[in-house]
Amino acid sequence: METMDVLPLESNAVNPGPVDGSVLYDQDKHVSSAVWDGQERGALRCHEHTSKLDQWRLTSKQIELVEKAGFGHLRLIPAISLDNPLISALVERWRRETNTFHFNVGEMTVTLKDVALLLGLAIDGDPVIGITYTSCNAVCEKFLGKAPEPGYASGGMVKLSWLKEFFSECPEDGYVEQIERHTRAYLLYLLGSTIFSTTTGNKVPVMYLPLFGDFEQCGRYAWGAAALAFLYRALGNASLASQSTISGCLTLLQCWSYYHLNIGRPKLKHDPAHDCFPYVLRWKGKQIGPTANRDVVFYRKALDALKPCDVEWLPYRNMDSTNIPEYIRNSLNLGRSKTMLICFDKAERHLPDRCLRQCGMVQHIPEDVQPWQRKNRGVDGGVDLSAKMELELNEWMNRHISIVNGDESADEVEYLQWYLRITRKFVGRPISLSTEFQRTNSGLRDIAHIADTFSTEGLDPQQIESISKIRYIAHECLRGQVDSPVVPAGTTMTELGKRSRGKEKVRRRSFGKRKQKDEPMDCDEISEDDRSHFHGTVIKVDELSLDNTDLDGTPHLCGLDHEDPSELCVVSVDGGSVQLCTDPGNGEVHHLQQCGIVGTGSNVDQLYGAAQVDGSQLGYVPNGIDGGQACDEMKELHDSQYLNSMEEEVVDESQLSHVVGESNPQQTAAAAVQV
């Protein structure tokens, strides 16, 4: 089979897809939409509980029963360290509309063949379905000979720790019923730790226990198909933006990725011991490679940039098949069965026609997937789900006549052109949100400038109106952006420059509680509303955009937030200094000490507190202090115990700190610079 080339994606594409939403109709709920909008959820919590499986001591008679029940290979699978970021990145590519991964090279999925070869579970046989339970006592008494204490059970689930505590060691000389009970407890623990691991953390439903009643009959169930149905459902749930956990057989998922994708794959030791069956054993103890710095974003970028050379469509073709049991070999053709997978209430579609290259065939455009209703078991106990799942069971019964075949005349280039229209091309943004915002903002500035400077001479009224609309829309989009001049429609850029050099104001705004005259001022005693806005804030000097050209050297009258006219001040800007004055309201102006200039810029809305630059301070100067004492009074404030409780930050040998006024209520304010 020739490898299909991938058509190049536009590097500046801003639409991640799908262009045609007929297939991925749940895109708005998918985690990829949230990631695209900048809402990262981090690595998922992966629930699998294999770490204590080796603490069970099975007798030879128990091992015989486990093999008869169909789990002889599953019990050999070791605890594999899960790569949570890799699993999380794969989940971002999973689509529950098709039960496939949507990579940029095409669709892929975990098939029944993968389950059979990786886990050694039967994929053919009776469906895993039965009666549900809401209480553990009766069913545990019947099949285990013991009911769990109240703290070990809830609903129809029992804690794994209870099973291990009471059944992990079976007497070698135990009687038959005792051995069978201990073995059933082990199987329930095994399945609850691996293929049916739940997000509850350490519990397993007891509804599986009756299926272990007859070990011979238990071996006739299609446990591999049930494991895949459970994993499909878990992947679908985890792919929703609202989810943060995932369960199911994650060892199967991770090892499937190792075999099919050259991303995060550990290095192999090529010795014969790693060709044994089941194939998961090939990755036993493999933790080689730099994985410490590989987070979800790392794997996401790798999957977004996946190339055909990174994909192994047929990873098992060179494996030694002599170790595969005959009942597994004879059922591998079900990997191409378009059927329904069943695990009690979990019925999920198996759609290999969407992943024919994993079967060694040419991929054609697949048939549409009809949406199906995912059912959940009811809350009532003693309910047999067979009647509820009649349609799904009929599909499973027809699995052998639903084998899909490829079309050798199919054009894979045509398939890929179709696929790129219906898929989600990337999960992560090729361009970061901040970069994209800056680029958009820059474009809007250019549009605004062109509209402002565009000559309307000779244009008809309709054209002039269109230019005005463009100008208005551009400025409205830029409104409130940093360094973005926003002017009404009709204002030219020349006029805007003149206005930007308008009068600078210094406004004093009071904050904190009013204190009694003799009560000491506590710098930390500020109302909750005020604290959240400016208490403890320090603004760096180099962020103030000093621009002396904007200061015209004329006195400006600044109204302070108080009705008392004596608290009006005059700020005279002259070169590199500022003259602070008070106006008692009788026409007389009291000139205070001339202090160093701070400077203002369009980036700063209001600066609360006093600004200190190169040892000089600007702040509120109380009424009644003569000009020669103004800066001395500010220095005393700086040295006082009240200022010691404030945070100070030194920036370029300049300091900005909060200065609190005297105890007079009218003086408990700090200077503010407002553009």
Side-chain angles (χ1 to χ4, degrees):
M1 182 186 69
E2 296 182 359
T3 302
M4 178 181 60
D5 293 330
V6 179
L7 298 178
L9 299 174
E10 296 182 13
S11 59
N12 293 327
V14 294
N15 183 8
V19 177
D20 179 353
S22 60
V23 177
L24 303 185
Y25 46 82
D26 274 343
Q27 177 58 49
D28 58 331
K29 302 176 185 176
H30 196 263
V31 62
S32 59
S33 290
V35 171
W36 189 262
D37 293 338
Q39 302 171 20
E40 291 284 349
R41 69 178 180 184
L44 295 168
R45 292 199 309 275
C46 298
H47 291 274
E48 208 175 52
H49 315 284
T50 58
S51 60
K52 296 182 180 179
L53 271 171
D54 58 355
Q55 297 180 12
W56 284 74
R57 299 290 180 259
L58 301 182
T59 66
S60 57
K61 293 180 181 179
Q62 280 185 289
I63 294 175
E64 183 180 342
L65 291 176
V66 170
E67 291 177 348
K68 187 181 293 187
F71 302 105
H73 295 293
L74 184 64
R75 79 173 187 87
L76 299 176
I77 296 176
I80 295 178
S81 179
L82 296 179
D83 189 343
N84 291 26
L86 172 61
I87 291 172
S88 303
L90 289 170
V91 169
E92 292 177 350
R93 285 286 180 176
W94 180 262
R95 304 307 302 230
R96 65 176 189 164
E97 300 95 332
T98 59
N99 278 345
T100 59
F101 296 106
H102 276 235
F103 301 121
N104 52 32
V105 296
E107 291 179 70
M108 300 181 72
T109 195
V110 185
T111 66
L112 284 171
K113 181 178 180 179
D114 293 309
V115 178
L117 294 178
L118 291 173
L119 299 182
L121 290 174
I123 58 174
D124 196 11
D126 297 333
V128 177
I129 196 169
I131 300 175
T132 62
Y133 297 91
T134 57
S135 176
C136 298
N137 291 354
V139 67
C140 287
E141 284 277 8
K142 181 177 181 180
F143 294 99
L144 301 180
K146 181 180 179 64
E149 291 77 4
Y152 286 103
S154 62
M157 307 183 78
V158 64
K159 284 189 176 182
L160 297 173
S161 58
W162 179 77
L163 296 171
K164 179 177 174 293
E165 181 179 349
F166 291 99
F167 299 97
S168 59
E169 293 188 9
C170 180
E172 287 284 350
D173 57 350
Y175 53 92
V176 174
E177 189 175 11
Q178 186 180 24
I179 294 174
E180 289 182 348
R181 287 172 175 173
H182 278 71
T183 304
R184 293 188 190 108
Y186 169 74
L187 291 179
L188 188 60
Y189 187 99
L190 176 66
L191 269 59
S193 301
T194 56
I195 59 176
F196 300 145
S197 175
T198 66
T199 55
T200 58
N202 62 347
K203 296 177 184 176
V204 58
V206 296
M207 63 188 182
Y208 304 112
L209 269 178
L211 304 183
F212 308 147
D214 184 336
F215 293 97
E216 196 76 40
Q217 175 61 34
C218 182
R220 299 191 183 102
Y221 288 109
W223 291 104
L228 191 55
F230 199 100
L231 180 62
Y232 278 4
R233 181 65 64 90
L235 285 167
N237 291 338
S239 69
L240 299 176
S242 58
Q243 301 300 305
S244 60
T245 62
I246 184 172
S247 60
C249 193
L250 302 179
T251 292
L252 168 64
L253 174 62
Q254 183 165 306
C255 291
W256 176 90
S257 176
Y258 287 168
Y259 270 106
H260 288 82
L261 306 175
N262 187 20
I263 294 176
R265 178 190 295 169
K267 295 181 180 179
L268 279 175
K269 295 179 180 178
H270 298 286
D271 57 87
H274 292 85
D275 287 332
C276 56
F277 188 83
Y279 289 166
V280 161
L281 296 177
R282 192 180 192 191
W283 309 101
K284 181 179 180 180
K286 292 292 174 296
Q287 297 301 322
I288 305 174
T291 59
N293 296 324
R294 293 181 177 178
D295 56 6
V296 178
V297 176
F298 172 86
Y299 286 120
R300 180 189 300 151
K301 290 180 179 178
L303 292 175
D304 282 353
L306 193 68
K307 300 180 178 62
C309 61
D310 295 322
V311 179
E312 181 60 63
W313 298 102
L314 304 170
Y316 316 118
R317 56 184 170 183
N318 296 325
M319 301 290 287
D320 184 5
S321 61
T322 59
N323 295 323
I324 303 176
E326 185 177 358
Y327 75 93
I328 294 288
R329 272 203 313 270
N330 294 340
S331 63
L332 291 180
N333 64 327
L334 287 180
R336 293 189 288 115
S337 178
K338 188 176 180 181
T339 185
M340 187 71 74
L341 307 175
I342 297 172
C343 178
F344 278 83
D345 61 301
K346 296 174 177 62
E348 295 288 341
R349 291 199 180 278
H350 185 247
L351 301 171
D353 60 316
R354 308 188 71 88
C355 310
L356 289 176
R357 284 170 290 175
Q358 290 180 236
C359 306
M361 301 177 181
V362 179
Q363 182 63 57
H364 56 75
I365 298 176
E367 296 179 357
D368 293 338
V369 181
Q370 298 300 323
W372 73 97
Q373 182 181 2
R374 288 177 167 86
K375 300 175 182 177
N376 294 306
R377 61 178 181 271
V379 295
D380 299 328
V383 177
D384 190 340
L385 295 175
S386 299
K388 185 177 181 179
M389 310 285 287
E390 183 178 0
L391 295 177
E392 291 82 356
L393 289 171
N394 287 337
E395 276 202 48
W396 175 250
M397 295 306 174
N398 294 326
R399 61 192 178 280
H400 289 287
I401 61 175
S402 303
I403 306 297
V404 298
N405 294 304
D407 182 1
E408 293 299 327
S409 63
D411 184 355
E412 287 193 346
V413 174
E414 181 183 355
Y415 158 77
L416 188 61
Q417 291 174 343
W418 166 86
Y419 173 72
L420 291 178
R421 288 185 57 81
I422 62 94
T423 191
R424 184 78 169 183
K425 292 187 283 290
F426 347 87
V427 176
R429 286 178 175 267
I431 303 174
S432 67
L433 278 173
S434 58
T435 303
E436 202 164 295
F437 171 79
Q438 292 173 3
R439 188 176 63 177
T440 302
N441 209 28
S442 177
L444 285 171
R445 290 172 186 276
D446 292 341
I447 294 173
H449 176 71
I450 293 172
D452 288 335
T453 58
F454 192 84
S455 175
T456 58
E457 185 177 354
L459 299 180
D460 57 45
Q462 185 176 1
Q463 292 173 327
I464 295 175
E465 183 181 359
S466 298
I467 296 296
S468 298
K469 286 183 179 179
I470 294 172
R471 180 188 299 115
Y472 175 77
I473 293 172
H475 284 302
E476 279 298 305
C477 292
L478 289 170
R479 183 182 299 278
Q481 302 297 334
V482 176
D483 289 330
S484 300
V486 180
V487 295
T491 305
T492 65
M493 294 300 287
T494 304
E495 294 171 343
L496 176 66
K498 291 179 180 179
R499 293 189 182 184
S500 67
R501 293 189 293 272
K503 299 180 179 182
E504 307 293 339
K505 297 182 179 180
V506 177
R507 176 175 298 173
R508 178 175 66 90
R509 179 166 294 182
S510 63
F511 68 98
K513 298 180 179 179
R514 291 183 178 271
K515 295 289 183 178
Q516 297 299 325
K517 184 173 183 180
D518 298 327
E519 185 179 352
M521 173 66 74
D522 185 356
C523 294
D524 288 327
E525 240 179 67
I526 299 178
S527 69
E528 198 64 34
D529 292 340
D530 291 341
R531 182 188 301 274
S532 63
H533 292 292
F534 57 82
H535 178 57
T537 303
V538 177
I539 302 179
K540 299 180 180 179
V541 172
D542 55 6
E543 294 177 353
L544 294 180
S545 304
L546 304 183
D547 186 4
N548 291 335
T549 60
D550 290 345
L551 308 175
D552 56 10
T554 59
H556 307 304
L557 188 64
C558 304
L560 302 181
D561 292 341
H562 200 278
E563 296 179 357
D564 188 351
S566 66
E567 293 185 10
L568 297 179
C569 69
V570 175
V571 179
S572 177
V573 181
D574 183 15
S577 63
V578 174
Q579 184 73 32
L580 299 180
C581 311
T582 61
D583 184 358
N586 55 6
E588 299 180 4
V589 175
H590 299 290
H591 292 274
L592 305 179
Q593 182 74 16
Q594 190 175 35
C595 300
I597 187 170
V598 177
T600 59
S602 60
N603 287 351
V604 183
D605 182 15
Q606 290 182 345
L607 172 62
Y608 296 94
Q612 176 178 341
V613 182
D614 298 331
S616 300
Q617 294 183 339
L618 290 178
Y620 171 70
V621 182
N623 217 2
I625 301 178
D626 68 9
Q629 298 177 350
C631 286
D632 291 335
E633 292 292 328
M634 300 299 265
K635 184 177 187 304
E636 289 178 8
L637 281 173
H638 175 69
D639 294 335
S640 68
Q641 58 179 342
Y642 310 127
L643 195 58
N644 291 337
S645 65
M646 294 295 192
E647 294 181 4
E648 296 184 0
E649 181 174 348
V650 179
V651 182
D652 297 335
E653 298 181 357
S654 299
Q655 296 181 347
L656 294 173
S657 59
H658 293 279
V659 179
V660 181
E662 299 288 341
S663 59
N664 189 318
Q666 294 184 354
Q667 299 171 5
T668 56
V673 180
Q674 179 179 17
V675 179

